[in-house]
């Protein structure tokens, strides 16, 4: 496991943390809502993209430079900040203090607009940026040039798919924000079709993505079939298969030869593959495990989950395929 320290004086700045895959939820947030920590306690990840001020607009940067940074279509501003920032939950931070003159925010917290706002208590070196305002994931971004990795305890073992399913580790605490990974999955499916019609297998996948895919892609014969596959679920016959991404390693579960894997956030995949089945029928002799009371009835969402438009565009803008004319037309049209 990693322990990060100050590059200036060597002071310990974090608890021992284990590396995980970059959370897909970075693709969007829910505006004017307080968010939980982006990462679980005891974990960290590295964001390969530049982040932080100064920011430049697409027209100022130009398509060529933007492509060198991994941005292939206009989407928001581009950062001239450092790449490779280390992300972790705020509760895993140690030995830092807030730089008050850089603690601006929108209304309920700090949004990091002024750059690094955390300093090492040992030498006052700015080492990271904390964000916790409404519309922001609660997270700390450590500046890679300001921290060093110190010796830590042994790394946690990587769980295999069977263990992830058995322990319930795929069912994520951020399921309230499932529209974000759904928007990312929608972008991945659109690219995988190559612009061809798509037939979505009936069931949870059709309920989640069918309407959006029907609006984005043409109808016609020789449609590619889209279905779900993965560990403990099986591999139905289909051209495109939604498969999970390992939450620790970021590796994509691989289906049989011939089918195109379309990566999906593991927590969203688990909800689609193994939706909860709970009976609300009256029973005799008490309530068995897993049976809900009916007073009051459990709340139901007012609207069905729809893929996040922001996450959809965020993902497409970072895929080289968006420069192809057919896909750029779809991108510019929106969803």
């Amino acid at each position: 496991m990693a322990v990060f320290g100050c590059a200036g004086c060597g002071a310990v700045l974090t608890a021992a943390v284990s590396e995980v895959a970059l959370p897909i939820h970075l693709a969007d947030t829910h505006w004017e809502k307080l968010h939980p920590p982006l990462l679980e306690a005891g974990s960290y990840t590295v964001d390969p993209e530049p982040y932080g001020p100064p920011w430049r607009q697409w027209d100022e940067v130009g398509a060529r430079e933007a492509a060198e940074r991994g941005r292939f279509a206009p989407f928001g501003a581009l950062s001239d900040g450092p790449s490779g920032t280390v992300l972790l939950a705020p509760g895993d931070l140690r030995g830092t203090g807030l730089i008050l003159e850089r603690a601006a925010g929108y209304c309920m917290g700090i949004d990091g607009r002024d750059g690094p706002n955390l300093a090492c208590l040992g030498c006052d070196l700015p080492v990271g940026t904390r964000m916790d305002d409404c519309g922001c994931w609660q997270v700390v971004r450590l500046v890679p040039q300001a921290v060093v990795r110190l010796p830590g305890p042994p790394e946690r073992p990587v769980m295999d798919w069977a263990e992830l399913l058995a322990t319930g580790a795929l069912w994520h605490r951020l399921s309230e924000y499932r529209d974000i990974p759904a928007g990312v999955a929608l972008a991945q499916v659109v690219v995988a079709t190559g612009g061809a019609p798509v037939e979505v297998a009936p069931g949870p996948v059709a309920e989640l993505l069918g309407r959006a895919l029907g609006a984005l892609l043409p109808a016609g014969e020789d449609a590619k079939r889209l279905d779900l596959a993965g560990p403990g679920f099986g591999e139905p016959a289909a051209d495109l298969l939604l498969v999970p991404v390992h939450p620790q390693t970021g590796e994509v579960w691989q289906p049989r030869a011939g089918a195109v894997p379309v990566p999906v956030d593991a927590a969203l995949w688990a909800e689609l593959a193994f939706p909860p089945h709970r009976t609300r029928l009256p029973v005799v002799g008490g309530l068995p495990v897993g049976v809900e009371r009916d007073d009051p009835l459990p709340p139901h969402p007012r609207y069905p989950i729809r893929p996040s438009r922001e996450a959809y565009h965020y993902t497409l803008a970072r895929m080289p395929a968006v420069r192809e004319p057919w896909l750029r037309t779809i991108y510019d049209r929106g969803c």
Side-chain angles (χ1 to χ4, degrees), residues 21-25 161 164 170 177-190 192 204-205 208-209 213 226-231 240-248 250-255 260-273 307 315 319:
L22 190 69
I24 205 71
H25 292 78
W161 286 110
L164 287 169
L170 294 183
Y177 302 88
R178 65 176 68 87
D179 61 311
I180 298 172
V184 175
L186 176 63
Q188 297 280 4
V189 171
V190 169
V205 177
L208 183 66
L209 301 179
L213 288 170
L226 173 68
D227 209 336
L228 200 65
L240 309 174
L241 290 173
L242 294 173
V243 297
V245 177
H246 197 286
Q248 289 177 281
E251 295 180 357
V252 179
W253 187 87
Q254 292 300 313
V260 176
V262 181
V264 180
D265 173 69
L268 177 61
W269 177 88
E271 287 194 24
L272 297 174
T315 305
M319 303 179 76

Side-chain angles (χ1 to χ4, degrees), residues 41-66:
S43 64
Y44 81 96
T45 191
V46 177
D47 186 358
E49 291 195 12
Y51 188 86
W55 301 88
R56 293 196 289 164
Q57 298 301 316
W58 175 272
D59 292 339
E60 182 184 357
V61 173
R64 182 173 180 177
E65 182 182 343

